[in-house]
Amino acid sequence: MKYEMILVRYAEMAIKGKNRKHFEKQLEQNIRRQLKDYADVKIKRTFGRMYIELNEEPLKEVCELLKDIFGISSFSPVVKTELNEAAIAEAALMVTRDSLNEKEGSFKVAVRRINKKFPTGSQEMNQRISKAVLIQMENLSVDLHQPDVELKVEIREEAAYISGGVIRGAGGLPVGTGGRALLLLSGGIDSPVAGYLAMKRGVTLEAIHFHSPPYTNERALQKVEDLTNILTRYGGKIKLHIVPFTESQLAIHQQIPDNCEITVMRRFMLRIAAEMAEQNNQKALITGESLGQVASQTLDSMYTINSVTAMPVLRPLITMDKMEVIEIAEKINTYQTSILPYEDCCTIFLPADPKTKPNEKKVSYYESFMDVDEYVNKAVEGIRTIELTGKREQDIEMENLL
């Protein structure tokens, strides 16, 4: 007897009312994409849950992939058995032993008798299964309040399903249910985490990166591609739009007062990103800004920078401190890539004393001496787009371990 299925649970999706089927269908599609290398896996939907039939595919590998799919609150390996007490008790014993790894501990049994034709009621089955397991495991005890293992038994029309351990999922909503947005992706720690958190709310991402050769080299660009590849693990393939930013950045450096240079640069970036988002039917921009972290991330700076576009700018990290962001970056495997010492365009030409409270009217006045539209249009026209599918991720993980 072995695990033949995985029971998938979801929490937030369960309250979506009439739209629930749309969310479930998208989740199923995302699971199929994540498990595409396991051709024999089958997915079945029932009310409020999904079952993944393994059909001899490896349980451990499939479970590892399920952990990264947004929309799944938890999942459990399941043994499917015939509708008779002896078979159910045998499966319950196997699941209990496996969940405790043959060690002593406590358990409880929770039976749901959905199939009312099954002759024994739920409470009676709880007692019979508990007794059968206790006879075979001398070091086991019953704990109805805080058991080490909660043995769940579902008696359905076609079979009985037994599960023990619960594996935590990524939570959130399925990617593809929250609209489309464009992530301003630098090579730093923050923006990949912002992209990850946006995907957790169901957002479909594309990314835009500002590249300023020869001041930023090809290794810096490869770093951003690698970060994008890592993010594909959580949301599928991602288009990366690479903006030739050297000409605009040099013009800003030469014509704008030093202490307003970073503000104007960010305004240019937002204009270019908003134009690209409009062309690609994306409804928002996403940045990795955190309030008060650097000079361009004060409320005054954000107000002045935001004034160049009416498009919503989402900031998932806005209230987080750096250690919280780093913790997530380590969890999602972007941190070691983010700290590689290759500069992006935001770190060159940095003024010694940038304004933390830039005045929007003054900044607009400084920009009036530049042909802003021409620079923006040239940058947009020169954008190169590549599509990342995550194929390099194993190589990145290996490099980070060395």
Side-chain angles (χ1 to χ4, degrees):
M1 189 174 293
K2 59 184 178 180
Y3 293 110
E4 299 176 353
M5 310 175 73
I6 299 172
L7 166 63
V8 175
R9 307 178 189 88
Y10 30 87
E12 192 172 350
M13 284 170 51
I15 61 173
K16 291 299 179 182
K18 293 180 180 179
N19 292 322
R20 179 171 170 168
K21 286 186 178 179
H22 165 66
F23 284 82
E24 290 178 345
K25 185 177 180 181
Q26 185 65 58
L27 177 59
E28 181 180 346
Q29 182 178 321
N30 294 352
I31 292 173
R32 291 186 189 281
R33 183 195 67 235
Q34 191 80 315
L35 302 181
K36 64 182 183 299
D37 293 334
Y38 300 99
D40 291 331
V41 161
K42 305 296 180 187
I43 302 172
K44 290 186 177 180
R45 276 192 281 155
T46 61
F47 185 77
R49 61 192 61 203
M50 289 184 193
Y51 286 100
I52 299 172
E53 296 181 351
L54 292 170
N55 295 314
E56 305 299 325
E57 296 288 8
L59 173 69
K60 184 178 179 181
E61 287 82 348
V62 171
C63 286
E64 283 301 311
L65 291 171
L66 291 178
K67 290 178 183 178
D68 297 324
I69 301 176
F70 292 122
I72 297 176
S73 65
S74 68
F75 57 94
S76 297
V78 171
V79 173
K80 180 182 178 182
T81 190
E82 297 173 1
L83 286 170
N84 66 73
E85 286 187 28
I88 294 171
E90 183 183 354
L93 177 61
M94 187 220 92
V95 171
T96 306
R97 281 177 169 158
D98 183 71
S99 299
L100 286 172
N101 197 21
E102 297 292 344
K103 298 178 182 178
E104 64 181 41
S106 61
F107 83 121
K108 68 175 283 189
V109 179
V111 174
R112 289 184 65 208
R113 189 174 62 114
I114 298 161
N115 179 0
K116 301 305 180 185
K117 294 181 181 178
F118 190 81
T120 311
S122 297
Q123 290 303 318
E124 182 67 21
M125 280 298 292
N126 280 340
Q127 296 171 14
R128 293 186 183 186
I129 293 170
S130 297
K131 183 178 179 180
V133 172
L134 286 167
I135 289 172
Q136 297 294 325
M137 296 184 69
E138 295 179 357
N139 294 325
L140 196 63
S141 61
V142 174
D143 186 339
L144 299 180
H145 303 292
Q146 290 185 314
D148 296 314
V149 175
E150 183 175 2
L151 198 61
K152 296 185 177 181
V153 180
E154 288 195 3
I155 300 173
R156 292 182 171 266
E157 300 293 333
E158 71 286 357
Y161 301 91
I162 299 94
S163 62
V166 176
I167 302 170
R168 186 175 178 181
L173 298 171
V175 172
T177 61
R180 292 163 44 82
L182 183 63
L183 171 68
L184 278 70
L185 183 62
S186 71
I189 296 169
D190 300 331
S191 55
V193 175
Y196 169 84
L197 292 176
M199 286 191 287
K200 188 173 183 177
R201 302 312 302 160
V203 173
T204 300
L205 280 188
E206 292 186 15
I208 189 167
H209 176 70
F210 296 84
H211 186 45
S212 297
Y215 304 101
T216 55
N217 60 35
E218 289 305 307
R219 286 189 172 184
L221 183 57
Q222 184 61 61
K223 175 181 169 181
V224 171
E225 291 182 23
D226 290 345
L227 288 169
T228 307
N229 264 317
I230 294 171
L231 290 177
T232 64
R233 177 170 183 171
Y234 308 98
K237 62 186 178 182
I238 298 175
K239 287 183 179 179
L240 174 63
H241 307 285
I242 302 164
V243 181
F245 200 50
T246 308
E247 186 176 350
S248 298
Q249 196 162 10
L250 283 174
I252 293 166
H253 183 59
Q254 292 163 2
Q255 298 180 51
I256 301 296
D258 286 354
N259 59 3
C260 288
E261 189 173 334
I262 190 71
T263 301
V264 172
M265 184 186 74
R266 295 290 293 178
R267 281 161 64 98
F268 268 59
M269 287 178 170
L270 232 58
R271 290 182 176 106
I272 294 166
E275 177 62 30
M276 195 65 189
E278 289 281 1
Q279 291 182 15
N280 288 282
N281 195 32
Q282 287 141 351
K283 305 303 183 186
L285 305 177
I286 300 168
T287 76
E289 293 165 299
S290 173
L291 188 60
Q293 188 165 270
V294 295
S296 65
Q297 296 179 24
T298 64
L299 282 179
D300 293 272
S301 290
M302 290 179 190
Y303 175 83
T304 299
I305 293 166
N306 264 43
S307 64
V308 300
T309 180
M311 181 166 286
V313 180
L314 309 182
R315 298 177 171 92
L317 313 185
I318 193 69
T319 64
M320 292 187 183
D321 62 39
K322 197 67 176 183
M323 293 311 298
E324 289 175 303
V325 177
I326 288 173
E327 184 178 346
I328 298 173
E330 290 175 334
K331 170 188 166 186
I332 66 175
N333 198 38
T334 58
Y335 180 71
Q336 291 299 326
T337 302
S338 291
I339 62 174
L340 292 173
Y342 309 129
E343 292 185 328
D344 59 38
C345 68
C346 294
T347 59
I348 59 176
F349 305 140
L350 278 178
D353 186 27
K355 276 192 175 294
T356 59
K357 295 184 177 182
N359 181 280
E360 198 276 331
K361 290 183 179 179
K362 276 190 176 181
V363 171
S364 295
Y365 173 73
Y366 297 145
E367 286 181 344
S368 69
F369 295 96
M370 303 178 66
D371 194 338
V372 173
D373 289 343
E374 181 180 351
Y375 285 112
V376 170
N377 291 336
K378 278 186 76 173
V380 172
E381 289 170 5
I383 286 175
R384 177 170 65 93
T385 299
I386 57 177
E387 187 170 271
L388 284 305
T389 61
K391 290 181 180 179
R392 274 182 51 88
E393 186 180 350
Q394 290 182 342
D395 298 334
I396 297 164
E397 290 176 348
M398 185 61 67
E399 290 168 6
N400 290 339
L401 290 173
L402 296 177

